Amino acid sequence: MYSRIQNCRWTSLHKHLLTSSQRTYASGILKKKENVSTYFQPGKIYHGFLCSEVEPIKEFSMTAYFLIHEKTKTEYLHLERDDSNNVFSIGFRTTPLDSMGTPHILEHTVLCGSEKYPVRDPFFKMLNRSLATFMNALTGPDYTFYPFSSQNEIDYRNLQKVYLDAVFKPNLSRLDFLQEGWRLEHSKLEDKTSDLVFKGVVYNEMKGAFSETSSLFGQKFINTILPKGTYGYISGGDPLCIPELTHEHLRNFHATYYHPSNARIYSYGNFPLEQNLKFLNETYLSKYEFLDPKSTVVAPQERWKYEKKTNIHCRVDQYGGSVEKQNQIAFGYVLSDITNIYETFMLTAFVELMIIGPNSAFYKSLIEKNISGGYNSLTGYDNQIRDTLFVIGLRDVEKNKFDMIEKTVNQTIDNIFSKGFEKNHIESVLHGFELSIKHQSPKFGLHLLFSLMPLWNHNGPILSSLKVNELLDKLKDNLMKPQYVKDVIEKYFILNNHKLVMTMVPDPKFDDVFNDAEAKLLKSKVKELSPKEKDEIFEEGLQLSKVQKEVQNLDVLPCLKIEEITLNKTAPPLKHTISGTVPLQLCEANTNGVTYFKGVLGTDCLIDQHRLLLPFFTNILDKFDTRNYNYRDFDKYVSKSTSGISVISHITEHIDLKDQFEQAILVSSHCLDENLPKMLDILTEIFNRPDFSNSERMTMLLNNYCSSLTSGIIDSGHTFAMQAARSLVSSVDECKENLSGIKHIMNMQEIQNKYKIEDIQSSVDVISKNILKGNNLRAAFHYSNTNQNVLEFVDKFCTNLCDNDVQDVNRINWVDCKSPNKDNRGLHISMNIPVNFCAKVIPTVPYTDPDYPKLRVLSRFITSKYLHPIVREQNGAYGGGAMLTIDGIFNYYSYRDPNTRITMDVFDETTDWMSKNKDLVDDQNLFEAKLSILQQMDQPIAEHMKGVDMFLYGLSYDIWQTQRERVLAVKKEDLIEVCHKYLKMESWSGKCVIGADASHQIRKDNEIWETISGPQQ
């Protein structure tokens, strides 16, 4: 996967690396461990590794061991912590000097089979043979790394063997290169006279990646502001350059960049380090000689003497605002070297002070002026590359405002230089740093890896960077010195000539220009071919198709056994009580001195017109004046006392009854124990209803909200497609589509254009009056046993909210679903992108039905044995599979798919395939399908999330345990039975395709299709 590790800042250690859609239960996974292992000592050698440093990291209750392999100089960092979710990763500095996508294609190809595991795509196959809590491979601008995590030590060792053999001993066959990278292939595979076309997984992926204008802008910006060396190129691959890559170049790149001397190996958790070292040394490292990796080093950029300006073009966003406003502008400054850890840490704080929230200088000068659609996706501090960058950018700007914006940016920096930062604002930012250190996550080891890897990649002092308290103490002292602030602003901004101003404007002919260039490239490639080479291309196409369809012997891959799987979950210690009219769920847990709040407020009382505005309402709820504070002071109060106020729409299905659901919003926050009274006071301010009368601010927030909606559609196209398809068969999902899908985007554009701001203010105020009530709240609190007065504070909070209430205790208000039309319907969401996203959905049974776990296991079985091999491996989509939602809707999907018609037929023909391949439903394949479900169900969960599924969804531990037992009890004949019972071609279904010109290809006789287009088409 081509990826930038987004927002891996010092303050982001607390953020979720992955947001799991699975609802799980877990016991505590982390206990403090004060004693340090005395086995590994500096200066001593262990299995070929010299232990060079041992450092206790008190702020995270762990010990760091830094080792260097004597023979190859491979670097190894082990973080010992009493955490059962153990992490392992191996990474390489990959610094190409071209845009052929070599590191990206190599990342894919090494995972296509190796010396010990010569099977196609062992990486994907291990997803079904493992209880991994995380598995991935990522390519960035100057690194490629392969991380995984697991709570099971046998599983951990299995994955370690597969990963290490993949990177050090990959097969790198030519056919794998053709499948994953690029190839010329006949449009009709068996017709030698048919046209040749470009194909390849990465080729299609990168065509899709640069369909997203924000991705395009980001890539062009870094290429332009850091033009020397590797950052001047696209490591993921430019679709017009990828066809220049040869198989030989790929193999040579591997020999140089994937050498142990260029490797960085990381492990984290409570599994013993010695076994890792022994295996690495004996199996791989001892067999290599040292190879100086100096050719991979990224040199600092030569700094510019003058700022530069440039303009680029992008496609028109059909679902965006008016074309005249679909312009972007960004200002970038090259700042510190990533290896200067204090400067990087300090600049992270400075950037937050400059751009985040209503008290920041740029928010006041750029956002509140309502001259744009808000900050663009580039805005922020990028500390993942050798020369760190600060970028301030705006989206949806009229071109005639570019000059004025540039003057405003310069003036804002001058104002910061002359006035500095307010003390309260500084304290708010520092508080966020402190709270992030206390906040615990079951993905903590992965968070650390993702934060450390960019620094380590450039030989930075990674152990020193872990001592956040030392850095924070120094920062606190410096930020309170006005002269220090002036010096920083002057050095990095006022006197900094390495500055880029880039603008981007839409071009209606953008796609035509690319298509013409692609056609010209294809024509030249074909013209260069000799008759012999044409014959070879034809034969290779047939050979690749044959290999893709071959049944493989997967017995060479390791797999967990049933007796090696242990249930590590226990029922959470929940208490249920009532305070005032507020039902409470209380959970005492090891929250490390942090108290967590979640509150659900029903919205079933709203009329449809107001319900459409709910997502906007949740976005602005904490952004206006309250009874006792103006919005700037309220933001300071919130930031100095809590993690912030999160408000999102909450729609959940009844787990027993298929035709009922809850409509609500979810409010959440957390704080240090000593700040609990302040957090509850802040929530009281919200419940006393903000003052929405500031029409200027409402207009600005509405414009920014609507502008933000279209970003990310292409990156998550399969999710949008499934949601849209589900809305055709479920009134629950029709509601979700109106609040979070493509339909919501179109609804908000209509509201923005049709209604006056006074009408919207009135609607928002009505929503506020109807739902912000104590008798409409149910709440959950997680707290540690050190918080002595928590119950007293909570009771006072609730009784005050309910002071005037005489109603009964609030319960979940289940809404009856309306019966949807039972026609087989399809929705084509027309979008000018080069690859499509496909979905088909079939309603089945609710969560507690005995058939549900059978269908759940079936979804994993057909993903592994049917959909992935055909949709991805044979037909070139980036991904494809099946999943079952909690309300029992069976979903098929494909991602960045060049073959829409074929894929939709594959979805329809599931039962035919099952009838012909019953022999594949053997004991091993059935167990693997179950294992992949257990992988989801047994995910580790944070202390502050214990019992949350009970609170939000009514999903108790007993129901969860019953589901797990039923999954394990599924039989081979069960899969065949439910497949034919529910997934027949004639079964009632909904379909959706997002992409260009697809509707005529996919419509079948018994289906009713509708095509919708954005306002710009």
Side-chain angles (χ1 to χ4, degrees):
M1 182 175 78
Y2 181 62
S3 172
R4 296 294 306 281
I5 307 174
Q6 296 299 323
N7 297 321
C8 282
R9 325 169 334 171
W10 299 90
T11 55
S12 71
L13 296 182
H14 70 287
K15 294 187 178 177
H16 292 295
L17 182 61
L18 294 176
T19 303
S20 174
S21 61
Q22 303 303 319
R23 295 157 183 177
T24 57
Y25 283 90
S27 58
I29 62 163
L30 178 64
K31 299 174 183 175
K32 288 193 174 181
K33 185 177 181 181
E34 304 298 342
N35 57 314
V36 176
S37 171
T38 56
Y39 179 74
F40 291 93
Q41 298 177 6
K44 293 194 174 181
I45 296 173
Y46 306 89
H47 302 288
F49 284 87
L50 172 67
C51 181
S52 64
E53 294 180 75
V54 178
E55 289 278 357
I57 311 295
K58 295 179 180 178
E59 40 267 83
F60 301 124
S61 303
M62 66 186 182
T63 304
Y65 301 89
F66 192 76
L67 305 99
I68 300 173
H69 191 254
E70 283 204 303
K71 188 177 181 184
T72 61
K73 308 305 178 189
T74 305
E75 295 182 358
Y76 192 118
L77 173 65
H78 177 66
L79 300 178
E80 181 184 60
R81 194 173 191 234
D82 196 10
D83 186 344
S84 63
N85 194 25
N86 287 256
V87 181
F88 185 85
S89 171
I90 181 164
F92 305 91
R93 187 164 55 221
T94 48
T95 50
L97 295 176
D98 56 61
S99 295
M100 295 188 296
T102 313
H104 187 190
I105 293 171
L106 181 59
E107 172 221 306
H108 279 243
T109 314
V110 300
L111 297 174
C112 287
S114 64
E115 187 177 278
K116 291 182 180 177
Y117 308 106
V119 297
R120 225 174 33 250
D121 204 351
F123 178 84
F124 182 82
K125 304 296 190 297
M126 286 302 294
L127 288 173
N128 297 330
R129 304 169 76 89
S130 161
L131 283 176
T133 55
F134 181 84
M135 284 178 68
N136 215 330
L138 303 113
T139 300
D142 52 18
Y143 58 75
T144 306
F145 68 117
Y146 301 81
F148 69 81
S149 60
S150 179
Q151 301 176 92
N152 183 302
E153 187 168 0
I154 296 172
D155 184 40
Y156 180 90
R157 303 298 172 196
N158 288 346
L159 290 167
Q160 192 176 62
K161 291 173 184 175
V162 174
Y163 264 62
L164 289 173
D165 206 60
V167 297
F168 287 133
K169 297 291 182 181
N171 290 336
L172 298 182
S173 74
R174 176 166 173 78
L175 288 181
D176 290 334
F177 165 71
L178 296 176
Q179 173 183 284
E180 297 299 318
W182 78 277
R183 65 186 183 275
L184 287 172
E185 187 173 280
H186 287 280
S187 55
K188 296 178 181 178
L189 189 63
E190 296 180 354
D191 181 359
K192 205 171 184 179
T193 63
S194 63
D195 293 337
L196 288 168
V197 294
F198 285 130
K199 288 190 176 181
V201 172
V202 170
Y203 182 79
N204 285 327
E205 178 190 354
M206 296 312 294
K207 283 179 70 174
F210 291 114
S211 301
E212 186 78 74
T213 55
S214 58
S215 299
L216 175 69
F217 197 26
Q219 185 64 64
K220 295 296 184 183
F221 197 91
I222 193 173
N223 294 157
T224 307
I225 197 170
L226 301 173
K228 302 293 185 182
T230 193
Y231 300 136
Y233 301 95
I234 303 171
S235 62
D238 182 332
L240 298 178
C241 298
I242 288 173
E244 301 306 320
L245 179 63
T246 65
H247 182 226
E248 182 184 9
H249 182 81
L250 185 85
R251 295 182 67 90
N252 291 338
F253 192 93
H254 175 269
T256 301
Y257 290 89
Y258 276 49
H259 192 279
S261 300
N262 191 43
R264 288 154 182 80
I265 301 173
Y266 169 94
S267 57
Y268 162 94
N270 59 9
F271 293 160
L273 168 62
E274 186 178 8
Q275 196 168 335
N276 290 354
L277 302 180
K278 186 174 187 290
F279 179 73
L280 275 162
N281 181 58
E282 293 179 358
T283 312
Y284 298 104
L285 304 189
S286 63
K287 298 175 172 58
Y288 287 83
E289 300 298 327
F290 174 70
L291 178 66
D292 192 340
K294 63 182 180 182
S295 63
T296 70
V297 172
V298 178
Q301 289 283 313
E302 181 182 334
R303 298 306 170 100
W304 295 348
K305 295 179 180 179
Y306 307 99
E307 71 172 62
K308 298 183 180 181
K309 296 183 179 183
T310 188
N311 177 68
I312 64 169
H313 292 97
C314 64
R315 63 169 29 92
V316 173
D317 183 354
Q318 293 167 246
Y319 293 84
S322 65
V323 177
E324 293 75 22
K325 288 187 177 180
Q326 285 188 25
N327 308 292
Q328 296 196 43
I329 185 169
F331 306 82
Y333 299 80
V334 176
L335 302 184
S336 66
D337 190 302
I338 192 175
T339 60
N340 189 331
I341 58 170
Y342 176 72
E343 290 291 288
T344 305
F345 185 73
M346 174 272 295
L347 286 166
T348 301
F350 262 72
V351 170
E352 187 155 338
L353 286 163
M354 293 166 71
I355 66 173
I356 304 296
N359 291 291
S360 65
F362 278 109
Y363 188 94
K364 292 176 183 176
S365 66
L366 291 178
I367 303 304
E368 291 189 340
K369 293 293 188 289
N370 200 20
I371 54 176
S372 70
Y375 292 135
N376 65 14
S377 60
L378 273 179
T379 300
Y381 181 45
D382 187 345
N383 58 11
Q384 301 170 36
I385 50 183
R386 179 63 189 265
D387 299 276
T388 66
L389 299 177
F390 167 71
V391 182
I392 182 82
L394 298 175
R395 64 178 174 238
D396 290 352
V397 182
E398 293 173 342
K399 286 194 289 185
N400 59 15
K401 293 180 179 174
F402 284 166
D403 290 341
M404 180 266 285
I405 291 169
E406 183 173 2
K407 290 176 183 176
T408 302
V409 167
N410 293 334
Q411 184 61 54
T412 303
I413 290 173
D414 290 339
N415 289 342
I416 297 172
F417 175 77
S418 60
K419 297 178 181 178
F421 302 117
E422 293 180 18
K423 183 180 178 182
N424 280 344
H425 194 196
I426 292 172
E427 290 172 349
S428 299
V429 171
L430 293 174
H431 169 264
F433 280 65
E434 292 170 337
L435 185 57
S436 70
I437 295 170
K438 298 282 284 183
H439 178 81
Q440 294 184 348
S441 162
K443 303 284 188 181
F444 184 77
L446 284 163
H447 291 165
L448 284 178
L449 168 65
F450 277 56
S451 294
L452 290 171
M453 193 65 195
L455 174 64
W456 194 6
N457 198 46
H458 299 288
N459 304 318
I462 51 176
L463 297 193
S464 297
S465 73
L466 290 169
K467 297 179 180 179
V468 181
N469 284 342
E470 292 180 11
L471 296 167
L472 190 54
D473 288 342
K474 184 176 179 181
L475 180 64
K476 287 179 181 178
D477 183 53
N478 285 335
L479 282 178
M480 294 303 175
K481 300 174 182 175
Q483 188 57 48
Y484 180 82
V485 173
K486 284 181 179 291
D487 291 344
V488 170
I489 296 298
E490 183 177 52
K491 174 182 177 182
Y492 286 111
F493 296 95
I494 295 175
L495 300 180
N496 186 356
N497 290 320
H498 201 134
K499 174 185 175 183
L500 173 67
V501 182
M502 178 177 279
T503 54
M504 181 170 71
V505 299
D507 180 357
K509 296 182 179 180
F510 180 87
D511 292 308
D512 294 336
V513 171
F514 174 82
N515 292 337
D516 288 347
E518 184 182 40
K520 185 177 180 181
L521 176 63
L522 177 63
K523 185 177 180 180
S524 68
K525 285 283 181 186
V526 173
K527 187 177 181 180
E528 294 170 359
L529 297 173
S530 65
K532 181 182 178 183
E533 288 171 327
K534 289 181 179 179
D535 289 340
E536 289 173 350
I537 287 172
F538 179 71
E539 293 300 325
E540 281 182 334
L542 295 175
Q543 188 181 358
L544 178 59
S545 178
K546 179 183 176 183
V547 168
Q548 288 170 336
K549 294 173 184 176
E550 286 177 355
V551 177
Q552 295 181 291
N553 177 21
L554 302 182
D555 293 340
V556 296
L557 287 173
C559 182
L560 279 176
K561 300 180 177 64
I562 188 68
E563 62 269 18
E564 295 167 345
I565 301 171
T566 57
L567 177 60
N568 61 352
K569 314 272 180 175
T570 57
L574 304 179
K575 297 177 184 177
H576 292 92
T577 185
I578 297 170
S579 178
T581 60
V582 179
L584 292 176
Q585 178 174 295
L586 306 173
C587 184
E588 185 178 299
N590 179 24
T591 59
N592 198 29
V594 180
T595 301
Y596 296 83
F597 163 83
K598 291 178 180 62
V600 172
L601 294 156
T603 61
D604 54 291
C605 57
L606 300 178
I607 62 174
D608 289 344
Q609 177 188 345
H610 294 153
R611 188 173 293 111
L612 293 178
L613 277 170
L614 258 184
F616 176 60
F617 174 80
T618 63
N619 182 264
I620 65 171
L621 183 56
D622 61 341
K623 294 179 174 63
F624 281 87
D625 297 349
T626 67
R627 181 173 295 182
N628 296 304
Y629 300 89
N630 65 49
Y631 70 87
R632 295 197 203 280
D633 288 340
F634 187 60
D635 181 75
K636 291 176 189 174
Y637 186 25
V638 171
S639 299
K640 283 178 67 175
S641 311
T642 73
S643 61
I645 306 295
S646 168
V647 192
I648 60 173
S649 299
H650 174 70
I651 300 173
T652 186
E653 308 82 359
H654 198 296
I655 60 171
D656 288 311
L657 303 176
K658 197 174 176 184
D659 298 324
Q660 291 193 341
F661 67 105
E662 179 190 24
Q663 301 177 10
I665 63 171
L666 172 63
V667 183
S668 56
S669 186
H670 62 269
C671 66
L672 299 173
D673 284 350
E674 60 265 29
N675 285 331
L676 177 58
K678 294 180 180 178
M679 180 173 77
L680 297 177
D681 182 53
I682 288 166
L683 292 169
T684 301
E685 289 288 325
I686 294 290
F687 273 89
N688 286 334
R689 296 201 299 272
D691 177 2
F692 299 109
S693 62
N694 186 335
S695 58
E696 186 178 340
R697 183 161 180 77
M698 183 69 78
T699 302
M700 179 271 294
L701 291 170
L702 178 66
N703 288 341
N704 287 0
Y705 177 75
C706 291
S707 179
S708 70
L709 290 176
T710 57
S711 62
I713 291 179
I714 297 173
D715 283 342
S716 303
H718 62 309
T719 304
F720 280 98
M722 285 188 284
Q723 179 61 69
R726 290 196 297 266
S727 74
L728 302 177
V729 299
S730 161
S731 59
V732 183
D733 283 285
E734 185 179 10
C735 183
K736 290 181 180 179
E737 174 69 7
N738 279 322
L739 298 183
S740 61
I742 296 283
K743 192 69 189 298
H744 174 61
I745 298 172
M746 301 183 75
N747 288 338
M748 288 306 301
Q749 288 169 340
E750 182 180 353
I751 288 170
Q752 187 181 22
N753 295 327
K754 184 176 179 181
Y755 293 99
K756 296 178 181 178
I757 200 65
E758 293 80 11
D759 298 330
I760 293 170
Q761 285 175 290
S762 176
S763 295
V764 167
D765 208 45
V766 171
I767 294 171
S768 172
K769 289 175 182 176
N770 276 284
I771 68 176
L772 295 179
K773 299 176 180 179
N775 64 13
N776 191 37
L777 172 70
R778 70 177 197 274
F781 287 87
H782 289 75
Y783 53 91
S784 60
N785 57 13
T786 57
N787 196 344
Q788 300 289 333
N789 302 315
V790 59
L791 299 182
E792 177 187 338
F793 289 132
V794 169
D795 187 59
K796 182 179 178 182
F797 164 70
C798 293
T799 53
N800 286 342
L801 285 185
C802 305
D803 194 30
N804 298 317
D805 290 340
V806 292
Q807 297 187 19
D808 293 335
V809 173
N810 175 51
R811 304 293 183 190
I812 297 178
N813 294 316
W814 296 108
V815 178
D816 291 329
C817 299
K818 64 180 182 182
S819 298
N821 186 323
K822 293 259 178 138
D823 292 327
N824 288 326
R825 298 160 62 201
L827 182 64
H828 171 215
I829 300 173
S830 178
M831 190 174 287
N832 53 335
I833 53 177
V835 287
N836 294 339
F837 302 90
C838 306
K840 177 184 177 181
V841 301
I842 301 173
T844 60
V845 293
Y847 186 86
T848 54
D849 190 286
D851 278 352
Y852 184 92
K854 300 173 187 176
L855 286 160
R856 199 171 180 180
V857 174
L858 176 66
S859 71
R860 297 308 306 156
F861 175 80
I862 64 172
T863 293
S864 173
K865 302 302 174 187
Y866 177 47
L867 299 174
H868 181 81
I870 296 178
V871 174
R872 186 188 190 280
E873 292 178 354
Q874 295 179 31
N875 294 326
Y878 188 70
M883 58 173 283
L884 188 66
T885 59
I886 197 168
D887 59 336
I889 296 183
F890 197 94
N891 294 248
Y892 297 88
Y893 66 89
S894 70
Y895 185 75
R896 289 179 178 160
D897 190 345
N899 292 296
T900 305
R901 169 73 274 168
I902 296 172
T903 296
M904 298 303 273
D905 285 343
V906 168
F907 294 165
D908 287 342
E909 294 163 4
T910 300
T911 51
D912 290 342
W913 176 86
M914 181 65 93
S915 297
K916 297 172 185 175
N917 292 275
K918 290 180 181 179
D919 56 322
L920 285 178
V921 192
D922 58 22
D923 290 338
Q924 179 61 31
N925 288 335
L926 176 64
F927 175 66
E928 289 180 15
K930 293 179 183 180
L931 197 59
S932 66
I933 298 298
L934 294 185
Q935 183 186 109
Q936 299 169 354
M937 297 189 74
D938 291 357
Q939 283 278 329
I941 193 167
E943 292 283 308
H944 66 274
M945 294 298 289
K946 285 183 177 182
V948 167
D949 289 349
M950 178 66 184
F951 174 68
L952 293 180
Y953 314 109
L955 180 53
S956 68
Y957 175 81
D958 289 340
I959 295 173
W960 175 87
Q961 189 174 37
T962 299
Q963 177 78 192
R964 191 178 189 276
E965 290 168 355
R966 285 176 169 177
V967 165
L968 287 170
V970 172
K971 301 174 183 176
K972 291 181 285 187
E973 53 267 28
D974 291 335
L975 295 195
I976 298 169
E977 177 195 342
V978 295
C979 183
H980 287 85
K981 184 177 180 181
Y982 297 104
L983 305 186
K984 299 188 296 289
M985 187 183 297
E986 59 269 23
S987 297
W988 178 40
S989 66
K991 293 180 178 179
C992 178
V993 173
I994 297 178
D997 301 327
S999 59
H1000 67 281
Q1001 302 174 10
I1002 54 181
R1003 185 171 292 139
K1004 292 189 174 179
D1005 292 341
N1006 64 334
E1007 296 173 349
I1008 302 169
W1009 279 78
E1010 176 188 1
T1011 297
I1012 62 172
S1013 303
Q1016 304 312 321
Q1017 181 161 312

